[in-house]
Amino acid sequence: MRYLVRRLEFFVVTLWAALTLNFILPRLLPGGPEVALLTRFHGRIQPATIKSLEVALGIRNDQNAIQQYLSYMGNMLRGDFGVSLGFYPQRVSHVIMLALPWTLGLVGTATLIAFLLGTLIGILGAWRRGGILDSVLPPIFVVTSAFPYFWIGLICILVFAITLGWFPQAFGNSSEVTSELSWTFISDVLWHSILPAFTIVLTSIGGWILTMRNNMITTLAEDYIKMARAKGLSPTRIMFQYAARNAILPNLVGFAMSLGFVISGALLVEIVFNYPGLGTFLLQAVKNEDFSLMQTLFLLITVAVLLAVMVADFLTAWLDPRTRERG
Amino acid sequence: MISVKPLLEVEDLTVEYATDAGPVRAVDHVSLDLTPGEFVGIVGESGCGKSTLLFAIARLLSPSCDVVGGSVRLHGRDLLGMDEEALREIRWRDYSVVMQSAMNALNPVLTVGAQLEDTIAAHESMPARSAQERSASLLRLVGIDPLHLKSYPHQLSGGMRQRAMIAMALIFTPDLVIMDEPTSALDVVAQRSLMLEIKELQRQIGFAALFVTHDMSLVSHFSDRLAVMYAGQIVELGDTRELFRDPKHPYTSALMASFPSITGPKEVLQGIPGSPPDLLHPPAGCRFHPRCPLVEPRFRIEEPPLTTVGNTLVRCHRYGRDH
């Protein structure tokens, strides 16, 4: 319990630091959103218009830094991220809610599949070291993981979408299917997600296989494995409860980190497949100098990573009794 | 003694490690019998092959290591020829193992109770409730509060962990308990009390023990017979008292001179000069000759056979036929 409270404290402090940095960084940049708009209109804009823009965008240059900081923190805690400059007059939270489910669904699921599948292959490979599975799968997936994923994505589109025509080339769903909770819509979304998900799994699974396999091999040499064999336990119990459960511990934090980065989307995969997720929106935000959206997305990524690390800590505490007391 | 049917028969057991430089013979034609209820100690320096011998008998060798000759019989059944499935049946029921460091031999992520109960479940189908009761009574047997069934290994002291492992080894009251330096991770006081406890348990339950240690003084009061190993071979095997009273092999004498006697006069401890031989290229002739104070030129060339001297077996030229 003490351990959990400590992890929670750590989370709160880092979150505060991230929020504060997020406040300071854009203010270190010269100019501001209104200046950016001004240059976009090549200065052909009335000072009065700038004033009204400032009001509309919530830019309060009359406040000092402390006042700005306090109202910023208040807004952040209330979940008020302001108005998107690129999708004006949409609110940033609205824009993000449009994209978030797509990214979570696609990248989240794909990351989870890659981790679970990679871990399982790593376990089985190490268990029968030098066996057929061990000499075929790890090398293949390590090679595929070495390719850049946008390249794999493009090849997938070329082969499976254009040449064979099995899967759609782009987007999250077909335009003729209405967004509703029906089987047609769900299967359409799944159908669209297969190629990008496959791309993500193919390019990230190698790392999981390698690390899990290595951890497993180290663990299998431990005395408690020998002891488990001596006790006459069943091979499956030795493999999972004695070996894998110990071997997976170092991988949990890495997995949590990668889950955290799900929010930033597999940026290039989403762009290659024109997927309506956060990655695509982040690119849009950068193109449009949409500071409020960018800032919120970066904040979201930070929070997601922090949350994921905290969850990993809890998970580790649950799986490894030794960490519970270390605190 | 001779009329009793042996429980464990090890015959000409030879074990080799595969290394890049070639095979290393860690156990070289070792023969050893154990009668029911007997306590046999195996002593020798680190790297003499004593642990490898144990693990070969228990069929727990690492993959890089293989039995290349000889046989091991328990209750007359050939252990080495058994497949894993058949072996799993008799593992722990007929013979159990106590390892050197309980810290490493207990799974750090499972409670002591869970590790006792999974062993029970692997061999007997009984309701969880009775498995728990059985585990609790086992802990009580070795003097640990059953409360610790819910403890994880790292929450116990070194001595408690070792006793928990001994409790585990006694789940099915096996006929043979194989112990690989079970006390070497403990301090001297804890060692002594654990040895007394093992001996008392042995008296109560009646298991035979094969006990490996590098500390000769430790087994002196506890073992019935003692085997001294050097460079993968047994160099002396005999009754413990006899062996201590009249060590025949120069290596045995040297080992005995290297630990202090509590009651005797103060003497300067003598180490054994030189270092254990490289098993990849064992010395020709008698393997102990480079370190032996009694070496003669012939000993460097001819390998001495195991010779019977009274009740003792000795591998030394000085007891050979022509001496």
Side-chain angles (χ1 to χ4, degrees):
Chain A
M1 220 29 235
R2 187 118 131 269
Y3 174 80
L4 298 188
V5 171
R6 286 193 61 124
R7 300 317 302 173
L8 216 62
E9 280 169 16
F10 174 79
F11 172 75
V12 170
V13 171
T14 23
L15 180 63
W16 168 79
L19 281 168
T20 306
L21 271 178
N22 214 26
F23 170 79
I24 296 171
L25 282 180
R27 281 165 179 77
L28 294 178
L29 292 170
E34 76 278 21
V35 181
L37 274 174
L38 198 64
T39 27
R40 228 152 103 196
F41 290 100
H42 304 291
R44 285 190 295 267
I45 196 165
Q46 296 293 319
T49 323
I50 292 178
K51 261 271 137 344
S52 56
L53 265 175
E54 283 183 359
V55 172
L57 299 176
I59 297 162
R60 302 284 302 274
N61 284 331
D62 54 320
Q63 286 186 335
N64 65 25
I66 306 284
Q67 286 170 316
Q68 286 183 24
Y69 178 66
L70 289 177
S71 69
Y72 159 83
M73 281 304 243
N75 287 339
M76 287 296 129
L77 294 180
R78 278 199 308 275
D80 179 0
F81 303 110
V83 181
S84 164
L85 305 178
F87 298 90
Y88 190 80
Q90 303 271 36
R91 299 199 71 76
V92 168
S93 46
H94 177 75
V95 176
I96 285 177
M97 284 323 286
L98 278 180
L100 190 62
W102 291 100
T103 293
L104 278 186
L106 173 70
V107 191
T109 317
T111 306
L112 194 70
I113 290 176
F115 175 71
L116 292 179
L117 203 65
T119 301
L120 192 69
I121 293 175
I123 292 172
L124 294 173
W127 185 255
R128 294 199 183 282
R129 196 173 166 190
I132 299 172
L133 183 111
D134 189 37
S135 26
V136 175
L137 292 186
I140 289 181
F141 285 126
V142 168
V143 169
T144 59
S145 296
F147 290 116
Y149 51 73
F150 56 87
W151 186 81
I152 297 266
L154 289 172
I155 296 291
C156 282
I157 293 176
L158 186 68
V159 175
F160 297 108
I162 295 176
T163 312
L164 295 171
W166 292 350
F167 298 104
Q169 296 169 29
F171 306 119
N173 61 322
S174 316
S175 49
E176 59 267 26
V177 179
T178 43
S179 309
E180 55 183 13
L181 250 160
S182 67
W183 174 240
T184 0
F185 178 68
I186 292 170
S187 58
D188 184 57
V189 167
L190 282 178
W191 188 51
H192 277 78
S193 70
I194 287 176
L195 276 191
F198 178 70
T199 307
I200 297 171
V201 170
L202 206 59
T203 50
S204 57
I205 194 170
W208 299 124
I209 294 179
L210 267 196
T211 47
M212 190 61 193
R213 185 177 171 275
N214 290 353
N215 294 347
M216 257 313 257
I217 286 172
T218 316
T219 310
L220 283 173
E222 292 283 348
D223 276 354
Y224 51 78
I225 302 296
K226 197 173 249 185
M227 186 77 175
R229 276 172 59 207
K231 293 201 292 184
L233 300 184
S234 70
T236 38
R237 182 159 175 96
I238 300 176
M239 179 159 54
F240 290 109
Q241 281 294 319
Y242 280 70
R245 196 166 152 193
N246 281 290
I248 204 170
L249 296 172
N251 263 11
L252 285 178
V253 173
F255 173 58
M257 295 286 280
S258 71
L259 268 190
F261 285 112
V262 159
I263 293 292
S264 65
L267 190 72
L268 292 170
V269 170
E270 287 193 359
I271 293 166
V272 166
F273 287 94
N274 240 317
Y275 209 75
L278 289 172
T280 309
F281 277 72
L282 185 58
L283 181 73
Q284 293 288 329
V286 173
K287 277 186 186 159
N288 295 340
E289 294 184 50
D290 190 342
F291 283 100
S292 52
L293 183 57
M294 251 192 287
Q295 201 177 0
T296 314
L297 281 173
F298 288 137
L299 186 68
L300 206 62
I301 293 167
T302 318
V303 173
V305 172
L306 283 178
L307 266 178
V309 169
M310 191 171 65
V311 170
D313 281 338
F314 290 165
L315 206 63
T316 311
W318 177 56
L319 283 173
D320 185 356
R322 287 163 298 182
T323 51
R324 282 173 222 164
E325 280 132 64
R326 243 181 255 147
Chain B
M1 273 288 260
I2 293 155
S3 59
V4 186
K5 197 177 173 326
L7 168 74
L8 177 76
E9 300 156 271
V10 180
E11 228 182 292
D12 271 334
L13 190 65
T14 303
V15 184
E16 284 182 352
Y17 281 90
T19 68
D20 293 332
V24 170
R25 186 163 284 195
V27 176
D28 194 1
H29 295 283
V30 168
S31 298
L32 189 69
D33 282 358
L34 236 77
T35 50
E38 197 182 18
F39 194 118
V40 171
I42 300 177
V43 294
E45 290 166 304
S46 308
C48 72
K50 53 194 192 306
S51 294
T52 308
L53 171 66
L54 276 201
F55 289 130
I57 293 171
R59 282 279 307 264
L60 287 173
L61 290 174
S62 343
S64 61
C65 187
D66 250 320
V67 173
V68 293
S71 69
V72 177
R73 288 174 186 284
L74 183 70
H75 288 302
R77 293 172 69 189
D78 178 24
L79 280 190
L80 300 182
M82 251 181 223
D83 63 65
E84 265 311 317
E85 264 318 287
L87 196 62
R88 229 155 48 105
E89 293 284 308
I90 66 160
R91 279 191 195 277
W92 225 255
R93 271 189 165 289
D94 288 8
Y95 71 96
S96 60
V97 179
V98 177
M99 300 236 208
Q100 190 165 6
S101 158
M103 186 70 234
N104 304 327
L106 295 173
N107 185 346
V109 300
L110 294 182
T111 61
V112 172
Q115 294 184 62
L116 283 163
E117 283 151 34
D118 69 5
T119 317
I120 296 175
H123 295 280
E124 251 170 55
S125 54
M126 65 161 73
R129 183 93 215 117
S130 15
Q132 266 168 34
E133 276 162 21
R134 175 103 153 254
S135 307
S137 71
L138 279 161
L139 284 195
R140 250 180 254 118
L141 182 71
V142 296
I144 299 178
D145 192 314
L147 233 93
H148 285 299
L149 283 176
K150 288 203 174 63
S151 297
Y152 289 94
H154 72 276
Q155 293 167 322
L156 304 179
S157 72
M160 280 163 92
R161 276 198 290 270
Q162 215 68 40
R163 290 211 300 279
M165 197 149 71
I166 289 166
M168 202 177 281
L170 300 178
I171 292 178
F172 298 113
T173 55
D175 298 320
L176 172 65
V177 180
I178 294 174
M179 302 192 211
D180 181 26
E181 312 211 25
T183 62
S184 64
L186 304 176
D187 63 77
V188 188
V189 179
Q191 268 187 8
R192 172 99 191 145
S193 74
L194 189 67
M195 280 310 289
L196 287 170
E197 225 168 296
I198 291 174
K199 198 64 192 167
E200 174 59 21
L201 287 168
Q202 198 205 1
R203 201 187 53 77
Q204 282 177 28
I205 298 168
F207 55 86
L210 198 57
F211 190 102
V212 155
T213 178
H214 61 270
D215 183 356
M216 211 170 169
S217 59
L218 189 71
V219 284
S220 57
H221 294 102
F222 301 102
S223 70
D224 302 315
R225 281 191 302 149
L226 208 54
V228 181
M229 272 186 86
Y230 186 78
Q233 298 176 324
I234 288 186
V235 294
E236 186 161 356
L237 172 65
D239 180 79
T240 307
R241 282 162 193 278
E242 171 81 15
L243 205 125
F244 269 82
R245 197 173 46 78
D246 176 24
K248 297 193 172 53
H249 197 283
Y251 179 62
T252 314
S253 323
L255 268 187
M256 282 169 58
S258 54
F259 64 85
S261 159
I262 294 171
T263 48
K266 267 191 191 170
E267 282 169 18
V268 178
L269 287 184
Q270 290 175 340
I272 304 174
S275 49
D278 172 14
L279 288 176
L280 194 59
H281 309 287
C286 170
R287 295 200 174 169
F288 190 55
H289 84 251
R291 301 166 79 185
C292 184
L294 306 168
V295 64
E296 287 173 29
R298 185 169 62 87
F299 299 176
R300 298 179 207 273
I301 306 153
E302 288 172 34
E303 201 169 333
L306 212 50
T307 323
T308 313
V309 182
N311 278 328
T312 311
L313 284 171
V314 194
R315 191 186 292 278
C316 179
H317 281 299
R318 295 181 308 124
Y319 297 92
R321 292 170 303 274
D322 29 273
H323 251 265

